[in-house]
Amino acid sequence: MEESKDVKPVRYAYGLTTALLLGGATLSLATGYPAGAQVAQNEAGQMAHVVPRGGAPASFADLTEQLAPAVVNISTRQRIQVQQNNNPFAGTPFEGLFGGGGGASPQTREAQSLGSGFIISADGYIVTNNHVITAEGRGEVESITVTTPDGEEYPAKLIGKDAASDLAVLKVERSKPFPFVKFGDSSHARVGDWIIAIGNPFGLGGTVTSGIISAVYRNTGGGGAYDRYLQTDAAINRGNSGGPMFDMNGQVIGINNAIFSPTGGSVGIGFAIPAETAAPIVQKLIKGEAIERGYLGVRIQPLNDDLAESLGLERNKGEFIQSLEPGGAADKAGIKAGDVVVKVGGKEVTKEQTLSYLVANTEPGSRVPVEVIRNGRRMTLNATVAKRPSEDELQQSFSSDDDQQNADPFNNPPKQQEQGYIEKSIGLSVTPLTPQIARQLGASDSVKGLVIVAVDPSSDAGQKGFARGFILLQANGQDVSTQADLESAIRAAKADGRSAILLRVQPRGQPSAFVPVRIR
């Protein structure tokens, strides 16, 4: 399962992505860690006299006083590699005459990051975000320091981290027990519930903000197995990453992690990793266990308006299979490119419960039923879920040849007959794929289809990146090798009342992809 997020100490997003708050937020650990006779700060008995009654609380002061001792500031000292240009003529016509082409030499500089975290056991285990304690680029973290609310500083040891979920666990030592908190049950969180967030925004030190849960299981469009957040209007900013989100029972139900912002600061849209997602991962990190996730080996796309219209299906229900990894779990199960997956293991695939999430949280080696829609028919296939490869292996498995991206796809194609209907309908001029053109495109002799020779830039196809030299393989699931095939498919789509047609197209040097194109 692969959907393509660049993790940085601070990530801001505006539009379809979110920004990690350096310290964004991380979850506090649930239960089961050695704490001797110690009691969590948010244990039921401890909270009996400080939990606000129903309705709008008059004050969060008692709740904050009880919980704040377990929330810490986290800072790192990093060594970052940078390029230093020593050529005094850099940027001038004489640059190449001195210093061997610029005199660039690798240099390093010190950098720092600030974030938040919270203690989850009396013996000093701390949860935070992975991006809080990870250096940017080719940097290296030299030390991690934890500062408690009373101002005491402790060197921290990294116990484990997981980039996919953006979680990390640290350990600090001292002779006496630490105050700590535990995870609550985020699955019971409801839109409108009061919450408070405690963290270290902008390095100011312990800061408390309050608000409500604005949405549950919010999908931010970043893709990936853990794109499911609790959304809040509580003020969250840079430095809050890794800090806890508490419910009114004093339980950690989320880890502040990201914001949606056009300004770089809080605009009332913040995101936290749900406790139900984080707690099992944190437990494995503490035990030193590997984090294994399920994997089908497919490239997917949400069922947006155009795609749903071209298929005659309901939008936001299911995800579209663009391509498969040969020999992967999906391929072995009989899943095909062009299928729409609507259920996995009996659970519906929705915008809030994506295919990536369902598969990643399935035990590798498990055999699960996968329900798909193919050419308008529902069918159930059984897939044995594989183990998700590393990120480097994933990039190689779906690699593409980018060396010839900007080359003219072919030279001197045959002159075209008038194609008024196709051009007027979808803005494309096409010609049959001849052996000569196939060689110029670097396509296999076995490939059959139509070659795009011109694109109307004002058409939907033009807006979606169709270009001269792309090969059209299919239209609405049917192979097309002549203009008549394509025209017939367009007419059939119109007859069915569809305002879009689904084209399978292969750009040069890239895997084929399904793209819905609006019919004019």
Side-chain angles (χ1 to χ4, degrees), residues 22 39 99 123 125 165 179 241 267 319 336 394:
L22 191 60
V39 178
D123 54 351
Y125 283 101
S165 60
S241 281
V267 294
E319 294 193 33
K336 297 182 180 298
L394 285 174

Side-chain angles (χ1 to χ4, degrees), residues 336-478:
K336 297 182 180 298
D339 287 350
V340 176
V341 180
V342 291
K343 283 186 180 180
V344 175
K347 297 179 180 178
E348 288 194 0
V349 177
T350 65
K351 186 178 180 181
E352 293 75 27
Q353 188 168 256
T354 64
L355 179 59
S356 294
Y357 175 81
L358 291 174
V359 174
N361 289 280
T362 300
E363 190 74 23
S366 302
R367 190 168 174 81
V368 296
V370 179
E371 188 173 324
V372 304
I373 298 176
R374 181 181 299 168
N375 298 327
R377 293 176 51 247
R378 283 184 179 254
M379 60 179 66
T380 299
L381 305 166
N382 291 311
T384 300
V385 178
K387 178 184 174 182
R388 182 181 176 88
S390 69
E391 295 305 313
D392 289 341
E393 292 171 329
L394 285 174
Q395 291 179 4
Q396 293 174 9
S397 67
F398 285 107
S399 62
S400 62
D401 180 10
D402 296 326
D403 294 338
Q404 302 175 1
Q405 290 290 321
N406 299 318
D408 191 342
F410 54 88
N411 298 312
N412 304 317
K415 292 183 179 180
Q416 298 304 296
Q417 303 295 322
E418 286 296 323
Q419 297 175 271
Y421 185 81
I422 295 175
E423 291 173 335
K424 290 177 182 177
S425 297
I426 58 175
L428 299 177
S429 178
V430 298
T431 186
L433 180 65
T434 65
Q436 178 187 7
I437 295 176
R439 285 194 297 272
Q440 291 172 337
L441 292 171
S444 167
D445 292 340
S446 62
V447 175
K448 306 296 180 185
L450 297 168
V451 182
I452 297 175
V453 295
V455 181
D456 180 354
S458 67
S459 67
D460 189 47
Q463 295 295 315
K464 290 178 176 173
F466 279 66
R468 170 183 164 89
F470 283 18
I471 301 174
L472 292 183
L473 304 173
Q474 293 181 336
N476 276 355
Q478 302 298 314

Side-chain angles (χ1 to χ4, degrees), residues 21 23-26 129 197-198 236 240-245 254-258 271-272:
L21 314 166
T26 178
N129 283 149
I198 304 179
I236 294 174
N240 276 114
S241 281
M245 173 190 285
I255 300 174
N256 302 317
N257 176 260
F271 302 99

Side-chain angles (χ1 to χ4, degrees), residues 131-401:
H131 74 264
V132 170
I133 50 85
T134 300
E136 285 192 67
R138 291 188 290 176
E140 226 175 73
V141 173
E142 295 183 331
S143 64
I144 304 173
T145 301
V146 168
T147 304
T148 55
D150 59 8
E152 293 295 321
E153 293 186 354
Y154 301 89
K157 177 184 177 182
L158 176 62
I159 300 300
K161 62 180 182 176
D162 178 50
S165 60
D166 197 19
L167 294 169
V169 176
L170 309 175
K171 183 76 161 60
V172 292
E173 304 282 352
R174 75 177 183 185
S175 57
K176 63 179 181 179
F178 288 97
F180 65 99
V181 291
K182 302 190 302 181
F183 281 126
D185 186 355
S186 61
S187 67
H188 292 161
R190 300 171 61 204
V191 173
D193 282 350
W194 283 102
I195 59 92
I196 62 171
I198 304 179
N200 178 32
F202 301 110
L204 292 172
T207 299
V208 181
T209 58
S210 67
I212 62 170
I213 293 178
S214 305
V216 294
Y217 303 142
R218 174 70 78 199
N219 185 316
T220 62
Y226 298 102
D227 192 15
R228 266 165 61 106
Y229 298 95
L230 298 177
Q231 181 181 327
T232 180
D233 66 345
I236 294 174
N237 289 286
R238 286 187 297 172
N240 276 114
S241 281
M245 173 190 285
F246 292 102
D247 64 14
M248 290 298 95
N249 292 314
Q251 301 298 301
V252 179
I253 60 168
I255 300 174
N256 302 317
N257 176 260
I259 62 173
F260 182 97
S261 174
T263 64
S266 173
V267 294
I269 304 178
F271 302 99
I273 304 169
E276 61 188 290
T277 297
I281 295 173
V282 169
Q283 292 181 40
K284 287 187 176 182
L285 291 176
I286 287 178
K287 295 176 182 177
E289 298 177 0
I291 309 297
E292 294 187 349
R293 300 179 175 88
Y295 182 71
L296 278 183
V298 296
R299 179 163 287 179
I300 58 179
Q301 178 180 344
L303 214 59
N304 59 22
D305 287 340
D306 287 356
L307 197 51
E309 180 65 31
S310 69
L311 295 168
L313 298 176
E314 184 180 357
R315 69 186 297 264
N316 292 332
K317 293 290 181 68
E319 294 193 33
F320 186 83
I321 304 297
Q322 280 284 1
S323 59
L324 296 90
E325 193 176 90
D331 189 20
K332 290 178 180 178
I335 297 172
K336 297 182 180 298
D339 287 350
V340 176
V341 180
V342 291
K343 283 186 180 180
V344 175
K347 297 179 180 178
E348 288 194 0
V349 177
T350 65
K351 186 178 180 181
E352 293 75 27
Q353 188 168 256
T354 64
L355 179 59
S356 294
Y357 175 81
L358 291 174
V359 174
N361 289 280
T362 300
E363 190 74 23
S366 302
R367 190 168 174 81
V368 296
V370 179
E371 188 173 324
V372 304
I373 298 176
R374 181 181 299 168
N375 298 327
R377 293 176 51 247
R378 283 184 179 254
M379 60 179 66
T380 299
L381 305 166
N382 291 311
T384 300
V385 178
K387 178 184 174 182
R388 182 181 176 88
S390 69
E391 295 305 313
D392 289 341
E393 292 171 329
L394 285 174
Q395 291 179 4
Q396 293 174 9
S397 67
F398 285 107
S399 62
S400 62
D401 180 10

